[in-house]
Amino acid sequence: MTELLPIVIAKLNYWAYIALMMIGLYAMIAKKNLVKKIIGMSILQTAVILFFISIGAKKDATIPIIVHGHEGGSHAARAAEYINPLPHVLMLTAIVVAVATLGVALALVIKIYQQYQTLEEDEILTRLQDE
Amino acid sequence: MIWQIELVVLLIVIICGIGAITVKDLLGAAILFGAYSFMMCLLWAIMGAVDVAFTEASVGAGVSTVLFVATVFRTSRRTKD
């Protein structure tokens, strides 16, 4: 038990990532309301971003800006002192794509509401079968 | 990276996420999702990803919340689950 606790603390981000991903997946599958489904999709996307940022994080490292960079690179930068910036750049693109997906999904929800006057998936399905 | 602060912020993030999908009012769900995004932004500032943090604060928390609130006002606040 005493050996288990440091392992859980060291991997705290990954436990939270698993929990958030399961919350998002549950909302996308089990919720009947379309806006709730979209909120679940956004939570799933931020969970994936959390996973990637956790990969790049380091202990005792600073943000990835080279100290004394204005001196023309007279000495080499040690990579262990800086957080890995590659996952950050990838996830900047992922955030912008997430907002674009969200905008399209909400526009579709508004069109569905104008057509069927409801946001519940089961009511929309019964109306589709009545027609 | 101080793990106590990180633990507290991660707990708030998970609580806000669960609250956003369980609350029975879509406007409340949108506001809880905004709080979730701001807590995510704080988490990334703690982990040293400052560029991701301010992109999330402006685009994720700002624009997403505005889009959700606009959708709720153009449709209905009612939800069954």
Side-chain angles (χ1 to χ4, degrees):
Chain A
M1 193 64 203
T2 50
E3 295 148 8
L4 193 65
L5 196 62
I7 298 174
V8 172
I9 289 173
K11 306 278 188 233
L12 207 57
N13 283 327
Y14 298 99
W15 293 109
Y17 151 70
I18 292 169
L20 285 175
M21 194 165 218
M22 289 305 116
I23 290 169
L25 206 59
Y26 167 76
M28 281 179 77
I29 293 172
K31 294 289 172 183
K32 292 279 197 295
N33 192 286
L34 292 177
V35 177
K36 284 285 178 68
K37 277 179 190 287
I38 294 172
I39 288 178
M41 186 183 75
S42 296
I43 290 177
L44 191 75
Q45 283 167 338
T46 43
V48 174
I49 296 172
L50 174 65
F51 174 65
F52 269 78
I53 299 292
S54 303
I55 288 175
K58 284 177 192 166
K59 259 186 190 160
D60 300 325
T62 180
I63 55 173
I65 298 171
I66 293 179
V67 184
H68 306 302
H70 58 278
E71 289 168 3
S74 54
H75 49 271
R78 279 197 294 275
E81 290 176 357
Y82 300 102
I83 298 166
N84 189 4
L86 183 64
H88 300 180
V89 182
L90 293 174
M91 287 311 109
L92 279 185
T93 323
I95 290 174
V96 177
V97 171
V99 171
T101 345
L102 183 73
V104 173
L106 289 176
L108 287 175
V109 162
I110 292 176
K111 292 304 280 184
I112 288 172
Y113 185 80
Q114 287 172 355
Q115 186 93 25
Y116 296 103
Q117 277 79 43
T118 179
L119 286 180
E120 308 292 327
E121 191 188 15
D122 45 349
E123 292 176 15
I124 293 171
L125 285 177
T126 52
R127 282 187 203 202
L128 277 174
Q129 280 170 354
D130 291 342
E131 286 170 2
Chain B
M1 220 162 72
I2 308 164
W3 72 266
Q4 288 94 342
I5 298 177
E6 211 174 338
L7 176 66
V8 171
V9 175
L10 283 172
L11 280 178
I12 298 174
V13 160
I14 292 175
I15 289 168
C16 282
I18 292 174
I21 66 165
T22 49
V23 73
K24 293 252 189 291
D25 179 13
L26 285 183
L27 191 63
I31 291 167
L32 272 171
F33 184 70
Y36 167 87
S37 288
F38 271 118
M39 283 299 139
M40 261 331 204
C41 157
L42 194 58
L43 189 62
W44 290 327
I46 293 168
M47 287 165 72
V50 279
D51 44 354
V52 185
F54 69 67
T55 310
E56 172 74 17
S58 63
V59 173
V63 178
S64 296
T65 311
V66 168
L67 287 177
F68 269 117
V69 171
T71 307
V72 169
F73 276 117
R74 285 182 74 101
T75 58
S76 74
R77 283 174 69 168
R78 188 181 63 91
T79 176
K80 282 196 293 195
D81 50 0

